Amino acid sequence: MSRSPFIALAIAETLSISGTRLSGVAIPWLVLSTTGSPVLTGLVAMMEMLPYVVAKALGGPLIDRIGPKRIAVICDSASVITVGLVPVLHLLDLLTIPILLPIVFAMGVLRGPSDAAKQSMVPDIAELAAVPLERVTGVVGAIERLASTAGAAGAGALIALVGPSQALAVNALTFAGAAVTVAARIPVLRRASKAEATGIAAYGRELAEGWRFLRRDAVLVAIVVMVATTNLLDQAFFSVLIPVWTQDSGHGPALLGTLFAVFSGASIIGAAIAAMIGERMPRLLVYTVAFLLTGFPRFLVFAVESPLALIFATLAVGGFASGFLNPILSAVLFERIPKPLMGRVTSLNAALCWALIPFGGLAGGALIDAWGLSAALPLTGLAYLAVTLAPLAHGSFRGFEKKKIADNILSS
């Protein structure tokens, strides 16, 4: 039994996620403050998220072939250079929107496989640590939320202090730290067979094998449909609706970062509780209630111009509830996928869950341009409410409670 790889993964995730959260605040604020355009802000967000989703989906066979560790180190190392271009070009007075677009595109291409590789390490690291899968996914979820909180809170302060472009220099350093940690402290977890075929045709067969397994599992399909839709609406909320609300209300990036930090900070508590009692929770009930609490109420409080105290309280409740979601979803996912397919199926699942995110910011910007922020917030919130009622209407979600260990099952 070894806890060292788990600690290393926790550190790497903390560094990369906190840096990503920082860029998630800095880049939209940079575009919005320099152009004043919600649509352009959404377009830049799409230019990062679309390649992220595609690269994550296509990277699965490579993770299974050459191992998640190598993919994570390569992609995080390349991200240091890519993200670092933004503050350098800004110092040289060369940073424009046409130049920023390909940079954020490259950021998405590199982040996708890196995130998928780290996620696919979880089952093996749980075995090395000899702890229940729900506990590991809960701890990882708490780490993700903690990193998001630190990144969001730090983003507001850094942007106010040095500006949004220069704040991204810290993002480059976090990727460097993640790459070094994975390279030095996590062992090679899975090795491809020496007899394994190579080439484009074999790659295509491996990708198709993962797709066939995923689409035949009704539980995983139900997860993908629901989470993809809520992710679309979350992206509109966080990348455009709330930055525009913050600016229109006369506040600055410090408040924007604080709003994100309150939501993420409360979710740490939820994820920590999920880690402690996850194996005893009624999964479907907790999942459904958590989604109802984390969704519509936060759209409503911004739509009706609530006092800041009520906004913070609503975000805290929603954040706490959201902390239970990823541990449940991750445990269900890992239980149902055989290890030889882990990289490609988890990558495809994550990519499909994120498939609509690239259009979330664009949709949010278009709604604001068409009907104004006061209409965009309740419309998006009502759509979120409708989606989160799905577990009550569709029988596929009942498979949450059934633990289907698929270690030795391969799709055909």
Side-chain angles (χ1 to χ4, degrees):
M1 180 179 70
S2 174
R3 300 288 176 90
S4 179
F6 173 65
I7 295 172
L9 179 63
I11 294 172
E13 285 280 64
T14 301
L15 290 170
S16 61
I17 293 171
S18 61
T20 298
R21 174 59 73 182
L22 190 156
S23 67
V25 177
I27 291 176
W29 192 264
L30 171 65
V31 177
L32 190 60
S33 62
T34 55
T35 68
S37 170
V39 172
L40 193 55
T41 302
L43 176 63
V44 172
M46 184 184 74
M47 285 295 291
E48 179 179 6
M49 295 313 305
L50 187 59
Y52 175 92
V53 170
V54 174
K56 177 175 278 192
L58 297 180
L62 294 178
I63 293 171
D64 286 331
R65 280 189 183 190
I66 67 176
K69 174 179 177 176
R70 187 177 299 178
I71 292 293
V73 171
I74 291 171
C75 291
D76 283 348
S77 298
S79 293
V80 176
I81 300 172
T82 305
V83 176
L85 283 174
V86 176
V88 170
L89 291 173
H90 182 265
L91 283 174
L92 298 174
D93 200 24
L94 297 174
L95 187 65
T96 62
I97 296 300
I99 292 176
L100 181 63
L101 288 175
I103 292 176
V104 297
F105 183 93
M107 288 168 60
V109 169
L110 294 169
R111 276 184 51 217
S114 174
D115 287 354
K118 294 188 187 79
Q119 183 188 28
S120 72
M121 295 178 186
V122 170
D124 295 291
I125 288 178
E127 284 189 9
L128 287 174
V131 296
L133 186 57
E134 290 93 344
R135 187 166 302 168
V136 176
T137 57
V139 171
V140 170
I143 290 166
E144 290 174 353
R145 306 295 180 172
L146 176 61
S148 295
T149 303
L158 277 172
I159 293 169
L161 182 64
V162 300
S165 61
Q166 297 306 315
L168 291 170
V170 176
N171 192 189
L173 292 176
T174 60
F175 278 121
V180 170
T181 301
V182 172
R185 304 299 300 172
I186 294 181
V188 176
L189 299 172
R190 294 190 301 275
R191 294 183 183 272
S193 170
K194 292 183 179 179
E196 187 174 354
T198 59
I200 297 298
Y203 175 89
R205 287 194 299 270
E206 293 165 10
L207 194 62
E209 190 177 21
W211 166 251
R212 285 195 299 271
F213 181 89
L214 178 60
R215 70 180 175 84
R216 291 174 181 174
D217 191 306
V219 174
L220 297 185
V221 171
I223 289 173
V224 164
V225 173
M226 181 174 178
V227 176
T229 308
T230 55
N231 279 344
L232 166 76
L233 301 172
D234 280 330
Q235 180 71 1
F237 181 80
F238 286 113
S239 70
V240 177
L241 298 180
I242 297 312
V244 172
W245 178 90
T246 302
Q247 189 179 64
D248 287 354
S249 302
H251 301 290
L255 177 63
L256 181 63
T258 304
L259 292 171
F260 292 163
V262 167
F263 185 86
S264 298
S267 70
I268 296 172
I269 302 172
I273 293 174
M276 292 185 290
I277 64 172
E279 63 267 28
R280 301 191 300 274
M281 290 190 302
R283 288 179 176 175
L284 184 56
L285 175 61
V286 173
Y287 175 83
T288 303
V289 172
F291 249 130
L292 290 172
L293 289 175
T294 196
F296 179 68
R298 60 184 154 96
F299 289 88
L300 180 62
V301 291
F302 283 100
V304 299
E305 295 293 332
S306 304
L308 278 178
L310 180 57
I311 289 174
F312 282 127
T314 303
L315 288 176
V317 172
F320 174 79
S322 74
F324 289 85
L325 294 174
N326 283 348
I328 293 173
L329 290 171
S330 297
V332 172
L333 180 69
F334 292 136
E335 285 173 355
R336 305 181 76 87
I337 302 173
K339 283 188 178 179
L341 298 180
M342 187 62 68
R344 69 201 85 166
V345 179
T346 55
S347 296
L348 282 169
N349 178 84
L352 290 170
C353 286
W354 285 56
L356 299 179
I357 289 181
F359 308 102
L362 203 58
L367 281 172
I368 292 172
D369 267 10
W371 292 296
L373 182 65
S374 60
L377 280 164
L379 285 173
T380 311
L382 287 172
Y384 207 110
L385 177 62
V387 173
T388 52
L389 294 173
L392 302 177
H394 296 285
S396 297
F397 285 93
R398 285 193 288 271
F400 268 44
E401 306 297 347
K402 180 182 178 181
K403 297 187 176 183
K404 175 186 174 184
I405 304 297
D407 288 341
N408 299 313
I409 301 173
L410 292 176
S411 60
S412 59

